[in-house]
Amino acid sequence: MIPDRIIEPGTLTTDGARAAVEVRIPWYRALPASCIAGASLTVDGVEAPADSLRWTLNGEERTFAEMVDDTDSWWFPLDSAVLSGDVAVPADGADHTVEVGLTLYIPYIIIGDDETLHIEERDAKTMKAAAA
């Protein structure tokens, strides 16, 4: 729905081995954590391994598997979450191309007998990395 606003500009941080970026929901309504099905994080063409990805929502860092049954934590359109993963990025003042992909389930739009709508959105931004 709103893919060009997924990545918050200027939020790339790194400790050298792990990078993180703030992301916004590409949907117009809040969704529970259980509807965040997955993500990808790529910096300068290098994708973070899927098993290294972590999602921080409302101050709690988790894997996507840990959020599958969580209907108590909500991601609101005005709130940023943090996506992080193992991808080496130097905080060297250079510009870096950051790409984020998100897969979300929309629980109140039923498209089949046992299926809800899912959306897959991508965004890319160029920014400098700050030291974490």
Side-chain angles (χ1 to χ4, degrees):
M1 290 281 305
I2 316 168
D4 62 326
R5 298 177 64 189
I6 292 173
I7 300 172
E8 287 285 333
T11 62
L12 178 63
T13 59
T14 181
D15 65 5
R18 190 166 179 80
V21 67
E22 293 182 20
V23 295
R24 298 286 288 271
I25 192 170
W27 191 247
Y28 65 98
R29 292 178 67 179
L31 294 173
S34 61
C35 290
I36 305 165
S40 63
L41 173 64
T42 304
V43 182
D44 297 332
V46 178
E47 186 170 355
D51 64 347
S52 77
L53 293 175
R54 297 295 178 270
W55 187 262
T56 303
L57 179 65
N58 302 325
E60 186 176 352
E61 182 181 276
R62 298 179 282 174
T63 65
F64 293 100
E66 293 171 329
M67 296 189 300
V68 167
D69 296 323
D70 184 358
T71 57
D72 293 327
S73 300
W74 286 75
W75 189 18
F76 293 93
L78 297 178
D79 296 341
S80 293
V82 177
L83 175 63
S84 64
D86 292 343
V87 59
V89 178
D92 57 4
D95 283 337
H96 300 281
T97 301
V98 179
E99 297 176 56
V100 169
L102 289 177
T103 302
L104 305 173
Y105 288 98
I106 311 302
Y108 46 84
I109 300 179
I110 308 302
I111 60 173
D113 290 338
D114 292 322
E115 188 177 5
T116 61
L117 176 69
H118 82 275
I119 59 173
E120 296 178 14
E121 299 287 355
R122 297 193 72 71
D123 188 17
K125 297 269 188 305
T126 300
M127 62 186 84
K128 296 180 185 343

